[in-house]
């Protein structure tokens, strides 16, 4: 093994999305030494580069705040953390102003004011528009300008703990990783670690999302952090166009008023979601398209022909990938509806990650989590198409501030040599293995097991159990055999490891929530149960090495917004007889 490069810092940020950059800049501004590690290049990776629409409250009166909050809470089916929402609504205007001051070119009206528009999941709340890649390029420039030590192409894999234990009873004392080109190991000692490793997605290319496979989830879970909302990890989308290319842009496509129509030209979303119709969640839309197709009314289309020209122009400006695809394949969405193919996989939909308080602290001392590697407490099973990046913007700043305060009042916690040696050896093990099991084989096996349609669409206790068993077999028999001839394959091997281990926990959460809500649909409980299930599903690693589940009630008694009545609401999705 190459000798590790050892570094020491006050605050270590892992992952350079919007949240990680905001955290690093804030901690630096408060006088800390900060290292930010990114396994790719900041601004060239992570789903923040697909963002086009950002939730954007202006300074609201108390009365307005309650109205904006109600929209989020109702959309989350009352699972949202309302204390976090309060913080989000209060602080987002300043965080957005700061980005604008850094030079982020948000779309503006003729008078130079921010141009507010609508987006999926919001009727009251407003969004502003910009190509996410531009935001990230500006943040990267700011990191350099302010002296954040940027380690790009360094993938982090495990946390270190002051007692050398997993789960820890002490605190986090650093992390280990390696350079994805050279394989050079890194050991970084720090007083606080902020995770911003993004959501959990498979590397099976139904979508264009790559490289966010749950390493942050895994390393934090292993250290003892709580995960929540893992039952809502059902990623669904419908932006694979004309059987030729896919693009991001769903939130804005819905926001400018595009309609979903079937082969008979009928608008169908109102049948599946009478409240939101064409502004419904990704999951509901994908599921509705699949149902239309199954019942012989497909293929389905997204129709823009009635949309205003200025809105279409804005859409194509802030989602250049869509513009590029349309040009390349000679498609004019002003003249023809776009054929859409939906897909579903286990991956983050609206929630599924680390549980954090309003300072982005996990339950493990010294460990913070920001953005889409959290359980997205402001959204949970909700429908916001633009709240993610704003939550990350606000949460990142808060994490940076709290981590800086912590770092300024303490010395570096100890690193235990046996733990360090063990995690380095484990991380690099696939490089020394001989054999033919490659990460691609593991991803193929994952695809077969988790995208199987009866499981993806029609979950029941038996199918969830079966899938969990099969995932466990992949974990037990395939993962330890994976070999990686070079650091590039090592990245893929460790990505597959994280994803498999987290998907097993997702299955555990699917089995625990005995109702249907948001992306979570069970044919054996085909109703949203507001009598028994206004609860979060929380999973953590117990000291005996097995996951421990709890289901705390959402503390609605201390929240301002409460449901009018508590009842069981039937799901709108029909289940064919053979899948019951
Ligand atoms: C197609 C699509 C469209 C979307 N559109 C919108 C939208 O319009 N508006 C909106 O608000 N949200 C949107 N989202 C949600 C979007 O994911 C979040 O808003 C955004 O990603 C938040 O960024 P983040 O701070 O969580 O970091 P991310 O952008 O998720 O970045 C995480 C970073 O961590 C790095 N990383 C991962 N693992 C490691 C590791 N082990 N070591 C080091 N680095 C690591 C990754 O390379 C990545 O750069 C969209 C998501 C998708 C998939």
């Amino acid at each position: 093994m190459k000798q590790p490069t050892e570094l020491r810092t006050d605050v270590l940020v892992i992952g350079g999305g919007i949240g990680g950059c905001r955290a690093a800049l804030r901690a630096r501004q408060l006088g800390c030494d900060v290292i930010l590690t990114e396994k790719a290049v900041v601004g060239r990776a992570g789903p923040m580069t697909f963002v086009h629409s950002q939730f954007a409250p202006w300074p609201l009166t108390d009365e307005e705040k309650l109205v904006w909050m109600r929209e989020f809470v109702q959309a989350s089916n009352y699972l949202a953390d309302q204390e976090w929402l309060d913080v989000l609504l209060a602080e987002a205007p300043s965080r957005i102003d700061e980005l604008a001051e850094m030079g982020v070119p948000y779309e503006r009206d003729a008078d130079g004011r921010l141009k507010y528009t609508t987006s999926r999941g919001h009727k009251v709340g407003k969004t502003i528009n910009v190509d996410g890649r531009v935001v990230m390029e500006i943040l990267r420039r700011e990191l350099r300008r302010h002296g954040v030590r940027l380690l790009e192409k360094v993938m982090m894999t495990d946390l270190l703990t002051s007692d050398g234990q997993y789960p820890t009873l002490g605190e986090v004392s650093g992390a280990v990783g390696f350079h994805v080109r050279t394989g050079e190991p890194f050991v970084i000692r720090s007083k606080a670690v902020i995770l911003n490793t993004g959501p959990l997605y498979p590397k099976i290319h139904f979508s264009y999302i790559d490289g966010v496979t749950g390493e942050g989830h895994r390393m934090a879970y292993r250290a003892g952090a709580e995960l929540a909302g893992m039952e809502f990890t059902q990623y669904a989308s419908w932006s694979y166009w004309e059987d030729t290319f896919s693009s991001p842009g769903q939130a804005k496509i819905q926001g400018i008023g595009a309609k979903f129509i079937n082969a008979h030209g009928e608008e169908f979303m109102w049948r599946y979601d009478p409240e939101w119709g064409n502004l419904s969640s990704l999951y509901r839309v994908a599921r509705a398209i699949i149902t239309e197709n199954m019942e012989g009314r497909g293929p389905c289309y997204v129709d823009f022909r009635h949309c205003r020209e200025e809105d279409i122009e804005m859409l194509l400006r802030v989602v250049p990938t869509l513009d590029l695809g349309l040009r390349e394949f000679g498609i004019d969405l002003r003249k023809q509806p776009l054929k859409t193919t939906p897909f579903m996989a286990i991956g983050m939909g609206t929630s599924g990650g680390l549980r954090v308080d309003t300072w982005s602290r996990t339950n493990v001392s010294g460990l913070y989590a920001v953005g889409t590697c959290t359980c997205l407490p402001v959204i949970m099973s909700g429908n916001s198409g633009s709240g993610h990046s704003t939550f990350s913007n606000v949460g990142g700043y808060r994490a940076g501030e709290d981590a800086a305060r912590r770092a300024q009042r303490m010395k570096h916690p100890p690193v235990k040599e046996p733990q360090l040696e063990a995690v380095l050896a484990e991380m690099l093990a696939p490089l020394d293995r001989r054999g033919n099991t490659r990460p691609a084989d593991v991803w193929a096996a994952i695809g077969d097991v988790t995208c199987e349609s009866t499981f993806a669409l029609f979950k029941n206790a038996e199918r969830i159990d079966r899938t969990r068993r099969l995932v466990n077999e992949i974990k037990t028999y395939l993962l330890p055999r994976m070999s990686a001839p070079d650091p590039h394959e090592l990245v893929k091997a460790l990505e597959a490891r994280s994803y498999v281990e987290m998907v097993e926990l997702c299955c555990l959460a699917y089995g625990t929530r005995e109702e249907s809500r948001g992306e979570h649909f069970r044919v054996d409980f085909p109703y949203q149960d507001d009598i028994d299930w206004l609860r979060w599903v929380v999973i953590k690693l117990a000291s005996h090495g097995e996951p421990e589940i709890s289901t705390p009630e959402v503390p609605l008694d201390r929240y301002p917004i409460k449901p009018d009545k508590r009842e069981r609401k039937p799901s709108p999705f029909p289940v064919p007889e053979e899948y019951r």
Side-chain angles (χ1 to χ4, degrees):
M1 182 175 81
K2 287 184 191 161
Q3 201 51 30
T5 297
E6 298 218 7
L7 300 170
R8 189 178 274 263
T9 189
D10 294 324
V11 177
L12 169 63
V13 181
I14 302 180
I18 183 172
C21 294
R22 290 307 312 251
L25 286 169
R26 183 62 183 147
R28 185 79 193 114
Q29 195 179 35
L30 295 174
C32 288
D33 181 71
V34 182
I35 292 180
L36 186 148
T37 59
E38 162 57 52
K39 77 174 168 192
V41 170
V42 173
R44 292 285 177 275
M48 183 57 206
T49 56
F50 309 142
V51 164
H52 46 282
S53 174
Q54 295 183 317
F55 177 71
W58 45 81
L60 302 169
T61 62
D62 285 349
E63 220 168 287
E64 284 171 327
K65 207 169 168 192
L66 272 182
V67 177
W68 286 53
M69 192 191 266
R70 184 175 298 280
E71 179 172 83
F72 261 103
V73 174
Q74 286 176 342
S76 81
N77 304 299
Y78 292 89
L79 293 193
D81 176 335
Q82 297 186 27
E83 280 151 12
W84 234 122
L85 262 174
D86 194 57
V87 170
L88 179 83
L89 292 168
E91 297 187 4
S94 306
R95 300 295 83 80
I96 289 165
D97 283 353
E98 287 152 10
L99 287 179
E101 277 159 27
M102 287 177 206
V104 171
Y106 288 112
E107 292 277 314
R108 292 183 181 268
D109 64 19
D111 299 322
R113 286 184 300 243
L114 285 176
K115 187 170 171 185
Y116 290 99
T117 56
T118 321
S119 152
R120 178 181 70 245
H122 296 284
K123 291 175 189 160
V124 183
K126 292 287 174 275
T127 52
I128 49 177
N129 308 284
V130 69
D131 176 1
R133 287 176 301 185
V134 179
V135 180
M136 294 310 302
E137 274 161 21
I138 290 170
L139 283 169
R140 185 171 190 271
R141 184 196 68 202
E142 292 297 303
L143 294 176
R144 290 217 178 277
R145 194 162 77 87
H146 290 278
V148 171
R149 291 196 276 163
L150 193 53
L151 288 184
E152 292 180 320
K153 295 194 167 36
V154 173
M155 173 176 179
M156 304 308 285
T157 60
D158 269 295
L159 295 167
L160 298 167
T161 59
S162 59
D163 56 1
Q165 298 297 317
Y166 297 131
T168 182
L169 294 174
E171 56 199 330
V172 162
S173 53
V176 302
F178 66 100
H179 192 281
V180 304
R181 287 263 169 83
T182 64
E184 173 192 356
F186 279 81
V187 176
I188 306 176
R189 297 167 191 241
S190 64
K191 300 173 186 171
V193 176
I194 301 175
L195 295 172
N196 178 233
T197 45
L200 174 73
Y201 286 121
K203 226 174 163 69
I204 38 185
H205 306 299
F206 294 116
S207 182
Y208 29 79
I209 305 160
D210 204 355
V212 278
T213 40
E215 284 95 70
H217 291 63
R218 177 187 175 274
M219 66 179 100
Y221 170 73
R222 197 177 188 199
E226 291 176 340
L227 296 162
M230 298 296 273
E231 68 277 29
F232 300 117
T233 46
Q234 195 68 110
Y235 181 62
S237 194
W238 37 262
S239 54
Y240 182 57
W241 307 117
E242 295 287 330
D243 300 323
T244 48
F245 74 102
S246 55
S247 79
Q250 298 96 326
K252 201 53 30 182
I253 288 167
Q254 291 175 276
I256 68 168
K259 294 176 183 166
F260 296 91
I261 57 173
N262 62 22
H264 308 304
E266 294 159 355
E267 237 185 273
F268 55 82
M269 271 318 298
W270 298 103
R271 269 193 274 125
Y272 299 99
D273 191 340
E275 190 188 346
W276 289 94
N278 292 309
L279 282 178
S280 188
S281 69
L282 289 178
Y283 173 82
R284 278 198 168 205
V285 173
R287 223 192 142 98
I289 296 170
I290 294 169
T291 309
E292 290 295 292
N293 292 347
M294 279 171 52
E295 295 185 352
R297 295 183 294 276
C300 295
Y301 301 85
V302 181
D303 192 354
F304 297 82
R305 287 173 297 177
H306 55 284
C307 294
R308 293 188 315 171
E309 179 57 28
E310 66 173 285
D311 287 341
I312 290 185
E313 282 172 16
M314 181 193 67
L315 170 72
L316 299 179
R317 254 195 322 275
V318 298
V319 193
T321 326
L322 176 61
D323 190 32
L324 203 70
L326 293 171
R327 282 171 199 272
E328 190 169 335
F329 295 102
I331 302 165
D332 188 349
L333 50 73
R334 296 165 180 90
K335 295 201 176 124
Q336 68 181 90
L338 296 189
K339 183 177 166 198
T340 160
T341 308
F343 53 80
M344 276 191 197
I346 297 185
M348 188 173 163
T350 54
S351 184
L354 295 158
R355 198 169 180 217
V356 285
D357 70 9
T358 52
W359 284 100
S360 306
R361 292 180 286 226
T362 70
N363 57 306
V364 174
S365 180
L367 181 63
Y368 297 75
V370 169
T372 42
C373 65
T374 73
C375 66
L376 264 299
V378 296
I379 299 177
M380 291 305 291
S381 79
N383 182 17
S384 173
S386 307
H388 305 59
S389 56
T390 305
F391 168 70
S392 196
N393 189 6
V394 172
Y397 186 93
R398 291 202 132 222
E401 184 156 323
D402 201 72
R405 279 197 234 119
R406 172 188 166 85
Q408 278 155 353
R409 61 171 188 258
M410 65 183 286
K411 294 201 174 83
H412 277 92
V415 164
K416 300 287 179 189
E417 283 306 316
Q419 182 183 52
L420 176 57
E421 281 168 24
V423 288
L424 285 173
E426 213 180 273
M427 173 178 87
L428 300 171
L431 288 173
D432 292 330
R433 274 189 213 123
R434 298 290 166 260
N436 286 328
T437 309
R438 288 292 166 80
D441 301 319
V442 175
W443 286 112
I446 292 167
D448 288 345
V449 169
T450 60
C451 300
E452 192 263 322
S453 63
T454 50
F455 168 72
L457 288 174
F458 306 111
K459 290 185 182 55
N460 62 16
E462 189 199 319
R463 289 175 199 136
I464 294 168
D465 255 14
R466 188 188 61 211
T467 303
R468 187 170 164 227
R469 260 199 328 275
L470 293 171
V471 171
N472 185 274
E473 281 173 17
I474 296 176
K475 181 171 113 177
T476 312
Y477 300 111
L478 282 188
L479 292 190
R481 290 191 168 79
M482 263 190 308
S483 65
D486 54 44
H488 182 72
E489 283 287 298
L490 181 62
V491 172
K492 294 190 194 167
L494 298 176
E495 288 179 334
R497 178 183 74 174
S498 306
Y499 183 80
V500 169
E501 291 184 14
M502 289 304 100
V503 161
E504 198 181 10
L505 299 182
C506 294
C507 291
L508 204 58
Y510 303 147
T512 303
R513 186 173 283 281
E514 295 189 328
E515 61 152 358
S516 296
R517 184 183 297 266
E519 290 95 338
H520 177 65
F521 177 72
R522 288 192 50 167
V523 297
D524 44 357
F525 299 97
Y527 47 82
Q528 178 173 314
D529 184 351
D530 286 343
I531 300 169
D532 290 328
W533 273 102
L534 282 172
R535 294 171 180 277
W536 294 310
V537 174
V538 177
I539 303 180
K540 73 172 191 177
L541 182 64
S543 51
H544 51 73
E546 291 297 319
E548 185 180 275
I549 303 175
S550 59
T551 56
E553 280 200 38
V554 179
L556 287 161
D557 50 339
R558 65 166 205 254
Y559 286 169
I561 294 164
K562 307 177 200 304
D564 295 334
K565 52 181 173 205
R566 294 179 72 150
E567 57 184 354
R568 295 200 171 108
K569 297 184 204 130
S571 155
F573 292 105
V575 180
E577 199 52 50
E578 65 266 35
Y579 298 129
R580 277 173 211 277

